[in-house]
Amino acid sequence: MKIGLTGGIATGKSTVAAMLVERGALLVDADQVAREVVMPGEPALEAVASLFGQAVIHTDGTLDRKALGGIVFNNSELLAQLESILHPAIRGRMQLRIRQYEEQHPRQLVVADIPLLYETGQEGLYDGVMVVYVPQQLQLERLMERNGLQEQEAQRRIGLQMDIEQKRSRADWVIDNSGSLETTRRQVDDFWKSKDLP
Ligand SMILES: CC(C)(COP(=O)(O)OP(=O)(O)OC[C@H]1O[C@@H](n2cnc3c(N)ncnc32)[C@H](O)[C@@H]1O)[C@@H](O)C(=O)NCCC(=O)NCCS
Ligand SMILES: Nc1ncnc2c1ncn2[C@@H]1O[C@H](COP(=O)(O)OP(=O)(O)OP(=O)(O)O)[C@@H](O)[C@H]1O
């Protein structure tokens, strides 16, 4: 069985993914794969450098993610161009890894953590989708705190994604992460038992 795991920026996807992994799930993480496809030597990094110039490349040849984020999160047209370079590469690599996990470990749960799962229309690829939900005000507070962002900047990043209420209403399973980590863990445990997972 393979499920998609999504939510909004800073709603707690990584937190819930780690809990699922503790229980025995195999994780494929889109943010991590997004980092792999821009390692030095990868064609996607060449394409990013041609489009954005050397200002987004560190002197050691690695991608300056902060600089690139500062550009694209403030310019939706450039963000769309970056996505058109990265998304096919991310998607291909994720599908490959998911297939390998399914073949090698057919009885284990495979979890694909994809922030933009609904935005990119990938829900049909999975047996179901789990949404990690917090109300938008709490999402804003956690994002500001974790990334050290001013409110306006944090709002802008939230606004680049589909509304969290809309994601919640589409979900097959909702994990409400607005309480304590223990409360969240209990919901993850309930999901695990309901699926009769080992
Ligand atoms: C712009 C980049 C370099 C900034 O890197 P940085 O290390 O600062 O952030 P990181 O990658 O950890 O992303 C943090 C969060 O930002 C949000 N985010 C990332 N990309 C996007 C996007 N294209 N649209 C909306 N939100 C996004 C996600 O919620 C993600 O979890 C990076 O986010 C990137 O390469 N984005 C484009 C690829 C992409 O769409 N990734 C999303 C997973 S498919
Ligand atoms: N139940 C909780 N109570 C308090 N803080 C939490 C809780 N869950 C997560 N956090 C904190 O909220 C922030 C966001 O969580 P996390 O990094 O798991 O979100 P994410 O959805 O994976 O984010 P991104 O979309 O940016 O990858 C982190 O700083 C995390 O420590």
Side-chain angles (χ1 to χ4, degrees), residues 8-15 31 113 115 142 146 177 179-181 184:
I9 184 166
T11 62
K13 295 178 297 297
S14 307
T15 303
D31 281 339
D113 179 347
R142 287 190 183 161
R146 189 195 60 187
N177 187 36
S180 67
L181 291 174
T184 296

Side-chain angles (χ1 to χ4, degrees), residues 11-12 15-16 19-20 22-23 130-135 138 142 174-193:
T11 62
T15 303
V16 168
M19 290 176 183
L20 289 164
E22 268 174 37
R23 298 226 52 157
M130 176 183 280
V131 166
V132 184
Y133 171 82
V134 301
L138 186 56
R142 287 190 183 161
V174 176
I175 301 288
D176 185 329
N177 187 36
S178 53
S180 67
L181 291 174
E182 213 27 67
T183 312
T184 296
R185 191 183 302 277
R186 257 199 303 275
Q187 295 170 66
V188 171
D189 285 347
D190 288 346
F191 164 80
W192 198 269
K193 285 178 200 140

Side-chain angles (χ1 to χ4, degrees), residues 23-25 107-109 192-193 195-198:
R23 298 226 52 157
R107 298 188 47 221
Q108 260 166 289
L109 177 70
W192 198 269
K193 285 178 200 140
K195 292 289 127 202
D196 235 358
L197 288 158

Side-chain angles (χ1 to χ4, degrees), residues 44-102:
L45 182 61
E46 301 292 318
V48 169
S50 327
L51 182 61
F52 293 92
Q54 289 304 309
V56 301
I57 308 293
H58 287 298
T59 44
D60 67 358
T62 58
L63 181 65
D64 185 340
R65 307 181 63 84
K66 206 170 154 55
L68 184 55
I71 297 171
V72 297
F73 291 138
N74 288 297
N75 183 325
S76 49
E77 205 157 297
L78 288 174
L79 179 61
Q81 289 186 45
L82 176 67
E83 288 175 351
S84 71
I85 296 172
L86 298 186
H87 284 182
I90 296 169
R91 217 161 150 159
R93 202 177 283 215
M94 287 197 65
Q95 289 311 315
L96 190 70
R97 204 160 296 169
I98 289 166
R99 261 203 307 280
Q100 283 171 346
Y101 277 154
E102 284 187 309

Side-chain angles (χ1 to χ4, degrees), residues 164-180:
I164 188 66
E165 297 297 336
Q166 220 174 319
K167 289 186 180 178
R168 175 166 74 156
S169 69
R170 289 202 192 185
D172 295 293
W173 309 285
V174 176
I175 301 288
D176 185 329
N177 187 36
S178 53
S180 67

